[in-house]
Amino acid sequence: SEGGRVRHLQTADGGVVVERLQRFDDAARTYSYSISESPFPVSEYLATLKVEALGDSSAKVTWSGVFTPVAGVTDAAVEELFSGVYSGGLDALRGNFPG
C-alpha cells in the first residue's frame, strides 16, 4: 500500500508483519525498512539490504538490522530469531539465480 512504501506480510502461523520503506537508493543498490507491527519481540526495528556487484554475473547481498528487544527477551534470543529470518530470505533469493 501507499505506492509500495508499506507492505503487509502474514507469517506461517498467521501473524501479521507491517513493513515501511524508509530509504531507497537505486544507484547505491540499498534500501532500508522498519517494522511497525509484528509478532516479533522487538521495537525500533530497522533493517537494511545492500547489493554489491562482485563481477558481471555475481553479487554479494548483505541484510542487517538493528532493534531493541522487548522487556524479558535477551539480545541473543532476538539475534537468533532474525538470523534465521535473514538466512531463510537470502537462501530464497539465491534460489532465484541458479548457477
Side-chain angles (χ1 to χ4, degrees), residues 19-54:
E19 299 176 342
R20 174 175 290 280
L21 182 65
Q22 296 295 331
R23 288 185 294 276
F24 179 86
D25 186 334
D26 195 34
R29 296 181 179 172
T30 184
Y31 76 91
S32 297
Y33 68 94
S34 61
I35 293 179
S36 59
E37 180 183 333
S38 79
F40 306 134
V42 298
S43 63
E44 305 301 320
Y45 177 92
L46 180 69
T48 299
L49 282 95
K50 181 177 183 176
V51 178
E52 299 171 80
L54 297 178

